[in-house]
């Protein structure tokens, strides 16, 4: 990473996937006339009094946090009370899997809670003493170890005795210590159980010792702290307190959750890598407020009012009071513990959450005690056997009672039960305890005699088998990953056998079945299809370059270009067709959140542009635009510079609404050099066609829909591109409303969403793009093996139906001899009818042993999940060999998995969309084959 340096800076973004721009002043555009008014109305939405209208870099509030993990000690009751009071409602909310997204009420509730003093944490910048005066916040020391010296023995024994068999063997050993019941040697009976407990305890102690060492290393790392006199001192991580200002240097890890104050970049941008939090290696951008970024370092004073510690790593709600101004803070202004600073020389931030209160630690539930389904089943079986043993011993004791009663007069003459001993001069009593106690002791002795019914050797054998399984899986060459030079890792020996019991595999497509390496393939521009089939010559690799400061600058990735389209793009805007192509590729180059990074090459005169972004789709489109001569070379907090066939143009970034799963589109508002303002939008076809201006675009829309269907049938990912020119009044209306919403007292998130929906309306269609995401090597064979083993494979993807079906055939999920049942209804009534018809048809096909493939889209699932039709969907899916869900949101994916888990005892495996799995599909199959065969 040292060879890279940031060439351009991304404009500030706000939480909840929104964007707050730095609004440049246009002489031609009059200032808002509504700034003196107390109320602003925009598209029927009325805003309350606007606080801080002069702050153009305000951030919106984020979504609701997840449930709070309250922790603490008796010495810190105030801090514990602060954390536990976050969820003041005290009730658990019901997850609606069928819904498409959060409602307006969420934004209202969160904004209300943000401003309530009793629900806020007060952090005095660079004043840890005052910050901790009323509340003794947690220090920055962390602990991931499970045991301590004092708690190891009791806690480890408690966990081990979750195995019912161990309790059983302990009872047997205790009974054998009684002289009246000793069937075997007293101490010999303890040895097997003691040996098993000792070996398991040593293993657990070793694992926890490694955690302690890791915690010690982490807590003793050094961080740089800013003092009041402007000097810096080094402190151990564990000694950092809330309110202190921390300085982070490039490639260093963030020691606690910090709100950025300034960075080495004059615009306040910082690049971070969050791979330790969410597994994503792409760089993300975080921002310091301009009001704090321009201050002299030792003079940082102010107050941050933020939400209580919570587990939501994607949201942060706060505001900052500094120099008499009140600034909104969001998720783009906070950097979480565990992130790494990249391509930024340094960054300063104030600690707001430390130690166990950081979002990373609140999401760390500690080292779990995992138990396989086999072990759970064995506990059940042992309980059943114990009841049988009790019944058997009861029968034995009853029979003994009958025998004693019948022979009570002969007991002096019989061995074992003789009452008197006449072998000595003095007659002595034998150890005969009477009829009642003899029956009781008979029962206990029977327990000891019949104990072999549950052998302890079974557990020893199981542990040895698990160790053997882990060894063979780790050493299996087929599970070796050459790319990372790493072997298969078996982190929990207790659940190996669960791999062999999986009945359902739920997998997303992108990144799991596919490589997640997007390649631009073709485009449809204003109803004209520019794909490789329309030209006689083969596509060639585009290699566009520009000169910057005497250096040749090239895109890092080459893209296949259509020669005809490339020539038309080079011709400029001399005709109508050229103007349409110009706008299309300008939209690809600007409507994104790409961060270009300059990478050195062996040739000192040649530099490469590496487009970094959170979405590989955006990267592919930016590289495609560069290949056709629209090269993004610079971005700051207020403008973008695009080199268009040698002509460098600067566009002011007036606003950007990022992609979210609700709107399924994103947009950017650009100010042109001639002072005109245009809106570029891109998104999914369903979301885009609903906002298109259909008054005079119907022919183009129909042609584009035909091309989209053709691209999707080839398994390509598609996006629709649109544009809209904003008048001065429209822009001023949006600007004023956006500024008001970003500082609104109530319902901030909901208002921002309504503003973006309003401006992204009556859009002029430019065209569509098609991107290929190739299958990973071995995926078709893997799915074929899974299905041959009797495992049902469900693929859940956000792609459109045609793309999903095409990928289904190429991955061998679907076959030609399968009967496809497709449900893609738009209303509740039609969905109910389609589901009923599909269920009747599938029962008939199942009766004649026909393989069935169910294909259902997210729109239908909206009407099915969380309704009375869930059971019918499960019955239908149970009759199908394959289920393919398309156009589904992440929450719907969770709902589908929950649908199956609630209605069957079969074991399920979910991969992707938040399920951090070290197995790719091919590794999974090899593991399953090992267990099965």
């Amino acid at each position: 990473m040292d060879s890279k340096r940031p060439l351009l800076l991304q404009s500030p973004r706000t939480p909840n996937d929104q964007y707050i721009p730095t609004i440049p002043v246009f002489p031609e555009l009059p200032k808002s006339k509504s700034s003196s008014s107390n109320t602003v109305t925009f598209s029927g939405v009325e805003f309350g009094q606007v606080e801080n209208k002069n702050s153009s870099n305000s951030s919106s509030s984020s979504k609701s946090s997840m449930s709070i993990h309250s922790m603490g000690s008796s010495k810190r009751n105030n801090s514990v009370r602060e954390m536990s009071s976050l969820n003041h409602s005290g009730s658990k909310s019901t997850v609606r899997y069928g819904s498409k997204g959060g409602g307006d009420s969420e934004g209202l509730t969160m904004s209300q809670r943000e401003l309530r003093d009793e629900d806020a944490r007060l952090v005095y910048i660079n004043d840890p003493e005052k910050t901790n005066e009323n509340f003794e916040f947690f220090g920055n020391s962390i602990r991931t170890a499970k045991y301590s010296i004092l708690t190891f023995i009791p806690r480890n024994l408690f966990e081990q005795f979750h195995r019912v068999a161990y309790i059983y063997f302990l009872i047997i050993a205790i009974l054998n210590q009684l002289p009246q019941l000793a069937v075997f040697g007293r101490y010999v009976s303890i040895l097997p159980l003691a040996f098993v407990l000792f070996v398991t305890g040593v293993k657990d102690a070793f694992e926890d010792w490694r955690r302690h060492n890791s915690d010690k290393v982490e807590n003793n790392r050094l961080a740089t702290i800013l003092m009041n006199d402007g000097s810096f001192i080094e402190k151990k991580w564990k000694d950092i307190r809330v309110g202190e200002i921390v300085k982070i240097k490039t490639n260093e890890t963030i020691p606690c959750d910090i709100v950025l104050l300034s960075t080495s970049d004059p615009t306040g941008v910082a690049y971070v890598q969050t791979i330790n939090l969410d597994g994503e290696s792409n760089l993300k951008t975080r921002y310091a407020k301009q009001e704090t970024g321009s201050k002299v370092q030792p003079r940082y004073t102010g107050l941050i009012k933020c939400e209580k510690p919570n587990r939501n790593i994607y949201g942060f709600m706060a505001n900052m009071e500094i120099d008499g101004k009140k600034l909104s803070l969001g998720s783009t202004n906070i950097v979480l513990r565990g992130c790494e600073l990249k391509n930024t020389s340094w960054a300063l931030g104030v600690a707001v959450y430390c130690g166990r209160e950081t979002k990373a630690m609140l999401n760390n539930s500690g080292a779990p005690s995992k138990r396989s389904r086999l072990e759970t089943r064995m506990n059940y079986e042992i309980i059943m056997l114990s009841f049988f043993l009790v019944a058997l011993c009861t029968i034995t004791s009853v029979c003994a009672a009958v025998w004693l009663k019948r022979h009570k007069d002969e007991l002096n003459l019989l061995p074992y039960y003789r009452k008197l001993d006449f072998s000595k001069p003095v007659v002595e009593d034998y150890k005969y305890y009477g009829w009642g106690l003899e029956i009781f002791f008979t029962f206990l002795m029977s327990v000891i005699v019949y104990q072999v019914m549950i052998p302890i050797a079974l557990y020893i054998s199981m542990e040895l088998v698990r160790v053997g399984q882990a060894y063979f899986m780790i050493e299996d060459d087929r599970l070796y990953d050459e790319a990372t030079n790493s072997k298969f890792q078996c982190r929990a020996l207790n659940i190996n056998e669960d791999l062999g019991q999986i009945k359902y595999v739920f997998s997303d497509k992108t990144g799991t079945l596919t490589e997640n390496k997007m390649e631009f393939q073709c485009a449809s521009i204003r109803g004209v299809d520019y794909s490789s089939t329309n030209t006689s010559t083969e596509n060639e690799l585009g290699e566009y370059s520009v000169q910057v400061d005497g250096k040749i600058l090239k895109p890092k990735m080459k893209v296949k270009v259509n020669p005809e389209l490339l020539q038309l793009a080079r011709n400029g805007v001399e005709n109508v067709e050229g103007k349409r192509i110009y706008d299309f590729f300008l939209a690809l180059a600007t409507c994104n959140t790409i961060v270009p990074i300059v990478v050195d090459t062996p040739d000192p005169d040649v530099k490469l542009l590496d487009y970094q972004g959170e979405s590989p789709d955006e990267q592919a489109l930016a590289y495609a635009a560069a290949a056709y001569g629209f090269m993004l070379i610079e971005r700051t907090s207020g403008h973008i510079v695009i080199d268009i066939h040698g002509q460098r143009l600067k566009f002011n970034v007036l606003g950007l609404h990022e992609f979210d799963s609700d709107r399924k589109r994103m947009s950017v508002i650009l100010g042109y050099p001639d002072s005109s303002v245009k809106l570029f939008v891109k998104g999914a076809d369903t979301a885009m066609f609903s906002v298109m201006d259909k008054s005079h675009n119907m022919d183009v829309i129909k042609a584009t829909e035909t091309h989209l269907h053709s691209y999707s049938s080839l398994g390509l990912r598609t996006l629709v591109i649109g544009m809209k020119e904003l008048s001065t009044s429209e822009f001023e209306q949006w600007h004023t409303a956006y500024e008001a919403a970003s500082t609104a007292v109530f319902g901030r998130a909901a208002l921002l969403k309504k503003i973006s929906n309003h401006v992204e309306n009556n859009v002029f269609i430019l065209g569509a793009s098609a991107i290929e995401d190739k299958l990973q090597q071995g995926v078709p064979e893997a799915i074929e093996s899974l299905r041959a083993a009797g495992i049902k494979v469900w693929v859940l993807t956000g792609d459109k139906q045609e793309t999903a079906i095409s990928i289904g055939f190429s991955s061998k999920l679907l076959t030609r001899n399968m009967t496809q049942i497709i449900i893609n209804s738009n209303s509740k009534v039609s969905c109910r009818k389609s589901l009923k018809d599909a269920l009747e048809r599938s029962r008939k096909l199942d009766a004649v042993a026909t393989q069935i493939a169910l294909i259902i889209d997210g729109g239908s699932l909206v009407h099915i999940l969380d309704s009375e039709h869930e059971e019918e969907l499960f019955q239908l899916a149970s009759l199908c060999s394959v289920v393919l869900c398309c156009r589904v949101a992440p929450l719907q994916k969770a709902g589908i998995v929950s649908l199956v888990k609630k209605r069957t005892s079969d074991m399920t495996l979910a991969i992707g969309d938040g399920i951090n799995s070290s197995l790719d599909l091919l590794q999974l199959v090899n593991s399953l084959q090992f267990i099965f065969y």
Side-chain angles (χ1 to χ4, degrees):
M1 299 299 295
D2 293 337
S3 63
K4 297 183 179 182
R5 61 177 176 87
L7 177 70
L8 52 92
L9 305 172
Q10 186 178 346
S11 302
R13 289 175 291 166
T14 65
N16 195 25
D17 291 328
Q18 298 293 339
Y19 175 93
I20 298 296
T22 301
I23 305 294
V25 178
F26 286 92
E28 295 80 6
L29 295 176
K31 293 184 179 180
S32 174
K33 297 180 180 180
S34 58
S35 60
S36 61
S37 174
N38 292 332
T39 305
V40 178
T41 303
F42 179 72
S43 182
V45 182
E46 186 174 296
F47 302 89
Q49 172 123 11
V50 179
E51 302 178 2
N52 185 23
K53 292 182 192 229
N54 296 325
S55 174
S56 60
N57 197 30
S58 302
S59 300
S60 65
S61 63
S62 60
K63 292 243 182 183
S64 173
S65 61
M66 298 185 206
S67 60
I68 305 307
H69 182 68
S70 181
M71 54 177 66
S73 63
S74 59
K75 295 182 180 180
R76 293 173 175 170
N77 292 331
N78 290 335
S79 183
V80 175
R81 186 165 56 251
E82 179 199 55
M83 295 178 62
S84 62
S85 65
L86 176 57
N87 189 3
H88 51 268
S89 63
S91 60
K92 295 182 178 179
S93 59
T94 303
V95 178
R96 304 290 297 178
Y97 294 112
S99 62
K100 292 183 178 180
D104 296 347
S105 59
E106 279 189 283
L108 180 63
T109 303
M110 301 319 297
S111 293
Q112 285 175 332
R113 197 184 71 192
E114 175 189 9
L115 297 176
R116 293 179 56 178
D117 290 339
E118 61 269 25
D119 291 330
R121 159 174 289 196
L122 303 180
V123 179
Y124 294 90
I125 301 175
N126 208 17
D127 193 348
E129 285 75 19
K130 189 174 182 180
T131 299
N132 291 270
E133 183 178 4
N134 296 324
F135 293 99
E136 186 182 354
F137 297 128
F138 284 108
N140 201 38
S141 176
I142 65 165
R143 178 182 171 185
T144 60
K146 185 187 299 184
Y147 309 108
S148 66
I149 296 177
L150 295 178
T151 63
F152 174 74
I153 293 180
R155 185 172 179 181
N156 186 257
L157 289 177
F158 175 77
E159 290 186 358
Q160 291 198 57
F161 277 102
H162 274 76
R163 293 177 173 177
V164 178
Y166 285 10
I167 300 176
Y168 171 79
F169 298 135
L170 179 63
I171 294 173
I172 297 299
I174 293 174
L175 292 178
N176 209 55
Q177 305 308 305
L178 302 178
Q180 298 88 347
L181 306 176
V183 177
F184 312 106
R186 293 184 181 181
Y187 304 109
V188 174
S189 61
I190 300 177
L191 288 179
L193 178 60
F195 175 77
V196 173
L197 294 175
F198 176 77
V199 171
T200 306
V202 169
K203 178 179 71 73
D204 293 342
F206 175 72
E207 292 179 353
D208 206 60
W209 174 76
R210 293 195 303 175
R211 296 190 193 101
H212 274 287
N213 285 342
S214 177
D215 292 343
K216 185 177 180 180
V217 171
E218 188 82 358
N219 290 328
N220 287 285
R221 296 173 69 173
L222 296 178
T224 305
I225 306 298
L226 175 66
M227 306 303 293
N228 290 326
D229 58 0
S231 62
F232 289 93
I233 64 170
E234 287 191 338
K235 259 190 176 184
K236 294 181 179 180
W237 277 22
K238 63 181 180 182
D239 297 327
I240 297 175
R241 294 187 296 168
V242 175
E244 290 185 324
I245 294 179
V246 186
K247 184 176 183 179
I248 312 298
K249 298 178 182 178
T250 184
N251 295 327
E252 287 186 350
T253 303
I254 312 300
C256 54
D257 294 352
I258 64 173
V259 169
L260 285 178
L261 297 176
S262 65
T263 70
S264 58
D265 190 277
T267 59
V269 69
Y271 301 99
V272 297
Q273 193 175 61
T274 60
I275 191 170
N276 293 329
L277 288 179
D278 53 21
E280 296 184 7
S281 58
N282 292 331
L283 295 183
K284 295 180 175 60
T285 48
R286 298 293 182 263
Y287 305 94
K289 289 294 184 181
Q290 292 182 351
E291 289 80 358
T292 59
S294 59
K295 293 181 70 66
V296 180
Q297 287 182 356
R299 297 182 182 174
Y300 286 116
T301 57
L303 173 65
I304 294 178
K305 184 189 295 185
C306 61
E307 61 186 351
K308 299 297 178 61
N310 60 75
R311 301 171 58 190
N312 185 8
I313 65 174
Y314 300 108
F316 176 67
M317 292 184 301
N319 56 56
M320 179 192 303
E321 296 178 7
I322 189 167
D323 295 338
K325 296 181 179 179
K326 189 173 184 180
L327 311 174
S328 296
L329 300 175
S331 59
T332 57
N333 306 118
I334 187 173
V335 186
L336 305 183
R337 179 187 180 120
C339 297
E340 292 185 11
L341 190 68
K342 298 290 185 181
N343 296 311
T344 307
S345 298
W346 56 265
L348 282 176
V350 57
V352 290
Y353 307 123
C354 288
R356 288 179 288 171
E357 293 180 337
T358 59
K359 294 179 181 291
M361 291 305 299
L362 289 175
N363 279 279
N364 182 3
S365 57
S369 298
K370 298 182 179 180
R371 298 179 184 86
S372 66
R373 178 167 293 190
L374 177 61
E375 189 172 317
T376 305
R377 177 68 182 180
M378 285 180 62
N379 283 341
Y380 173 79
E381 297 289 348
I382 288 173
I383 292 174
M384 294 297 101
L385 285 174
S386 299
F387 281 118
F388 178 74
L389 178 65
V390 170
L392 188 61
C393 294
T394 301
I395 294 173
T396 302
S397 58
V398 169
C399 292
V402 173
W403 185 89
L404 286 173
K405 187 173 183 180
R406 288 181 178 178
H407 299 82
K408 61 182 180 178
D409 298 332
E410 306 173 14
L411 293 181
N412 282 332
L413 304 176
L414 297 175
Y416 308 114
Y417 284 100
R418 206 176 332 178
K419 293 182 179 180
L420 302 176
D421 184 3
F422 297 97
S423 61
K424 297 180 181 180
V426 180
V427 179
E428 296 179 353
D429 288 340
Y430 275 97
K431 292 182 179 180
Y432 180 79
Y433 302 98
W435 187 72
L437 284 178
E438 287 293 332
I439 295 173
F440 177 69
F441 286 138
T442 300
F443 177 87
L444 296 181
M445 283 187 287
S446 300
V447 172
I448 298 175
V449 172
Y450 299 146
Q451 68 166 327
V452 293
M453 187 179 300
I454 307 174
I456 195 171
L458 173 63
Y459 278 89
I460 299 175
S461 301
M462 283 183 57
E463 294 297 333
L464 293 176
V465 168
R466 285 169 174 165
V467 172
Q469 285 179 338
Y471 172 79
F472 285 117
M473 284 191 288
I474 293 173
E475 296 299 324
D476 194 337
D477 293 338
R478 294 175 297 175
L479 301 179
Y480 173 75
D481 185 14
E482 295 181 358
T484 59
N485 191 27
S486 59
K487 294 183 178 181
F488 178 91
Q489 295 185 31
C490 183
R491 299 185 182 274
L493 294 176
N494 296 339
I495 57 174
N496 294 345
E497 60 269 18
D498 281 352
L499 279 175
Q501 301 178 54
I502 293 171
K503 297 296 183 183
Y504 290 87
V505 172
F506 302 94
S507 172
D508 70 343
K509 183 183 74 67
T510 304
T512 306
L513 301 183
T514 63
E515 296 178 347
N516 201 22
K517 295 179 181 178
M518 311 299 179
E519 295 182 6
F520 182 85
Q521 294 297 322
C522 50
S524 170
I525 302 177
R526 289 295 294 169
V528 180
D529 183 12
Y530 294 100
S531 61
S532 58
T533 57
N534 289 359
T535 178
S536 58
T537 60
E538 294 184 0
N539 286 10
E540 59 187 26
L541 288 175
E543 188 173 2
Y544 185 76
S545 62
V546 298
Q547 281 198 349
V548 177
D549 299 330
K551 307 291 184 181
I552 297 177
L553 202 59
K554 298 180 179 180
K556 184 179 179 180
M557 189 175 73
K558 296 181 180 180
V559 179
K560 290 183 179 180
V561 296
N562 183 296
E564 178 188 356
L565 181 57
L566 180 61
Q567 185 60 43
L568 291 172
R570 288 173 177 170
N571 292 338
V573 292
E574 297 176 355
N575 50 45
V576 176
E577 188 177 23
K579 183 65 172 64
R580 295 168 178 172
I581 295 173
Y582 180 95
D583 290 334
F584 178 82
F585 284 112
L586 183 61
L588 297 189
T590 59
C591 190
N592 53 56
T593 57
I594 291 297
V595 179
I597 303 295
V598 172
V599 183
D600 294 330
T601 65
D603 187 350
D605 295 328
V606 178
K607 306 289 184 180
L608 296 181
L609 262 185
D610 182 12
Y611 288 146
Q612 289 282 344
E614 300 180 21
S615 168
D617 297 81
E618 286 191 341
Q619 291 175 301
L621 294 179
Y623 279 119
Y628 282 97
F630 292 74
M631 189 171 178
L632 172 64
I633 61 173
E634 182 182 350
R635 185 196 299 267
T636 69
S637 59
H639 68 265
I640 295 176
V641 176
I642 309 290
D643 186 286
I644 304 176
H645 296 292
Q647 181 183 8
R648 198 154 307 167
L649 297 179
K650 178 180 176 181
F651 300 90
N652 291 298
V653 180
L654 308 181
L656 188 148
H657 303 275
E658 287 194 16
F659 180 90
D660 63 58
S661 57
D662 267 357
R663 291 162 44 244
K664 294 184 179 179
R665 58 181 180 266
M666 70 165 296
S667 61
V668 61
I669 299 176
L670 296 181
Y672 276 60
D674 61 358
S675 299
S676 62
V677 179
K678 292 185 179 180
L679 168 79
F680 290 101
V681 193
K682 74 166 185 251
D685 54 354
T686 52
M688 290 297 295
F689 287 140
S690 64
V691 298
M692 286 294 177
D693 181 6
K694 299 182 175 62
S695 59
H696 54 275
N697 292 332
M698 287 309 300
D699 293 339
V700 177
I701 291 176
K702 290 180 180 179
T704 305
E705 286 180 331
T706 302
H707 299 155
L708 287 171
H709 180 80
S710 175
Y711 299 156
S712 301
S713 300
L714 299 174
L716 302 178
R717 298 164 61 91
T718 59
L719 286 173
V720 176
I721 317 296
M723 182 189 73
K724 175 183 178 181
E725 187 163 356
L726 300 179
S727 64
T728 301
S729 60
E730 287 176 323
F731 170 73
E732 280 297 307
Q733 187 183 24
W734 169 86
H735 179 196
T736 304
Y738 202 98
E739 188 181 38
S742 64
T743 56
V745 176
F746 303 114
R748 185 184 306 168
L751 296 175
L752 287 169
K753 178 181 174 182
K754 289 183 178 179
I755 290 173
S756 61
N757 286 334
H758 181 271
V759 75
E760 297 168 350
N761 202 10
N762 294 324
V763 177
F764 184 78
I765 187 169
L766 291 177
S769 63
I771 302 171
E772 181 182 16
D773 188 10
K774 294 182 179 179
L775 288 173
Q776 293 190 45
Q777 184 178 2
V779 163
E781 294 79 7
I783 291 181
E784 194 173 32
S785 298
L786 289 174
R787 296 184 56 240
I791 298 175
K792 292 188 176 182
V793 181
W794 293 29
V795 172
L796 320 174
T797 176
D799 288 334
K800 60 186 303 183
Q801 181 177 304
E802 293 82 3
T803 304
I805 292 175
S806 176
I807 294 295
F809 280 111
S810 60
S811 64
K812 294 188 178 180
L813 180 72
L814 302 175
T815 59
R816 298 298 175 185
N817 58 352
M818 285 183 179
T819 300
Q820 295 182 13
I821 295 180
I822 300 176
I823 300 178
N824 52 5
S825 304
N826 295 323
S827 66
K828 190 172 183 179
V829 176
S830 61
C831 184
R832 185 189 304 117
K833 184 178 184 303
S834 299
L835 188 61
K836 182 179 180 180
D837 295 341
L839 187 58
E840 293 178 357
R841 184 185 177 193
S842 60
R843 285 171 177 166
K844 296 177 181 179
L845 293 172
D846 184 64
V848 294
T850 302
Q851 288 189 330
I852 307 170
L854 172 63
I855 301 168
I856 186 169
D857 69 342
S860 302
L861 290 173
V862 169
H863 305 295
I864 295 177
L865 297 179
D866 299 317
S867 70
E868 66 276 8
H869 304 297
E870 274 191 344
E871 183 61 34
E872 296 178 35
L873 176 62
F874 175 75
Q875 293 177 8
L876 173 60
S878 300
L879 298 173
C880 300
S881 305
V882 169
V883 177
L884 181 59
C885 302
C886 51
R887 289 199 180 281
V888 290
L891 189 62
Q892 290 178 322
K893 295 180 182 181
I896 294 166
V897 176
S898 177
L899 173 75
V900 176
K901 291 182 69 174
K902 289 190 300 185
R903 289 169 172 78
T904 179
S905 59
D906 294 332
M907 186 167 293
T908 61
L909 169 68
I911 307 174
D913 262 13
I915 305 298
N916 293 323
S917 174
S918 60
L919 292 173
D920 65 18
L921 201 59
L922 186 58
Q923 289 177 326
L924 170 66
V925 172
N926 289 332
S927 300
L928 291 172
Q929 288 176 338
F930 167 77
I931 300 294
F932 281 131
Y933 306 119

